[in-house]
Amino acid sequence: MKNQTIVIIGANSEIAKALSQQIILDAKNHDNTQLIVISRDLTFYQQESFQQLHSACLNSINVKNYQEDEINLAVSKIDLIAMFEITKVIICHGLLHNIKLQPEKRLEDFSAEAFTQVLSANTITPMLWLKHLTPILSGKGSCKVVVFTARVGSISDNRLGGWYSYRASKAAMNMLLTSAAVELARRAKNIKLISFHPGTTDSPLSKPFQKNVPEGKLFTSEFVAKQLLTIVEDTLIDGKASYLDWQGKVIPW
């Protein structure tokens, strides 16, 4: 196992927590893996049970919000504390619903305020991380950057309609990643961008919609974490963005 630093952003989601635990388990008895987690809420990582579990070098960065100045400051901290080359960055941000908004079922449900909020969380924030991370990642060892999107962001795969804001935010993220990959193929050939669909995971994000999930298609966060880490390891750096599902299968853009 080579020396590596892995960064998880938006580390308070259920999948992010499972990823952190799996990375630590994989690194057990090794001193060459550093995990950096970034979140507005680090309670999970401060629990004694979690602290006792890890044998990897765990560092945490608390952010007040995901405004650009906070993101820029957090990236500066990453650059300062990273012990090894950063081999993986996993951006786990995502918003589907909250107390004030729900996915739209019809055109009449569309709201500019809700759309702006969803777009900010699912598209703008991950792109700001990519913007500020690129200078500290480029020109070094191989690095794979994963952004959580969703299958519903596929324009060609859209058969059901609805969910206007969520679909649009994920489709926009996919377009931004494909554009960024074109640029990075010229100036940062060591970086691979991956748009990842985790499937329907048993988490607060999917909870209101789980009754419609086919049997066997509701995944635990632990299962998704293992799948993702395997997929990232197996994906080649080829100067393109990849749009992959939890099986590692290509999703049409």
Side-chain angles (χ1 to χ4, degrees), residues 127 134 176-189 193 239:
M127 193 63 182
T134 296
L176 290 169
L177 289 175
T178 55
S179 291
V182 172
E183 178 180 347
L184 295 182
R186 297 191 297 263
R187 57 179 283 226
K189 297 179 186 294
L193 301 180

Side-chain angles (χ1 to χ4, degrees), residues 67-241:
Q67 300 300 314
E68 186 163 7
D69 58 343
E70 279 284 311
I71 290 173
N72 188 27
L73 178 61
V75 171
S76 297
K77 292 179 180 178
I78 293 170
D79 195 27
L80 184 65
I81 66 176
M83 298 169 59
F84 312 116
E85 288 184 348
I86 299 172
T87 61
K88 301 178 187 70
V89 177
I90 305 173
I91 302 174
C92 302
H93 293 301
L95 173 63
L96 175 58
H97 61 87
N98 58 28
I99 296 174
K100 294 184 178 180
L101 66 87
Q102 291 290 326
E104 307 93 341
K105 294 182 179 179
R106 56 181 188 162
L107 282 167
E108 287 82 355
D109 297 332
F110 186 82
S111 158
E113 181 181 358
F115 178 61
T116 301
Q117 189 175 352
V118 172
L119 192 72
S120 177
N122 294 344
T123 314
I124 297 173
T125 297
M127 193 63 182
L128 288 173
W129 282 110
L130 183 60
K131 168 186 173 180
H132 288 282
L133 281 165
T134 296
I136 72 169
L137 300 178
S138 59
K140 300 180 181 179
S142 299
C143 182
K144 297 167 185 178
V145 180
V146 179
V147 178
F148 277 36
T149 60
R151 190 182 299 275
V152 296
S154 168
I155 293 175
S156 59
D157 191 58
N158 186 355
R159 301 289 185 271
L160 298 176
W163 289 31
Y164 291 96
S165 297
Y166 191 71
R167 285 184 185 277
S169 68
K170 298 300 188 179
M173 190 69 251
N174 285 342
M175 176 58 80
L176 290 169
L177 289 175
T178 55
S179 291
V182 172
E183 178 180 347
L184 295 182
R186 297 191 297 263
R187 57 179 283 226
K189 297 179 186 294
N190 64 304
I191 299 176
K192 169 69 177 181
L193 301 180
I194 301 171
S195 174
F196 179 68
H197 167 61
T200 305
T201 307
D202 190 5
S203 69
L205 184 141
S206 70
K207 192 68 72 177
F209 314 102
Q210 290 181 5
K211 64 180 180 180
N212 299 319
V213 178
E215 186 175 353
K217 294 297 184 180
L218 179 63
F219 307 128
T220 66
S221 54
E222 290 78 14
F223 171 78
V224 174
K226 290 178 181 177
Q227 290 293 110
L228 173 56
L229 291 172
T230 299
I231 289 165
V232 172
E233 203 63 40
D234 293 343
T235 301
L236 300 176
I237 296 179
D238 57 4
K240 300 177 182 178

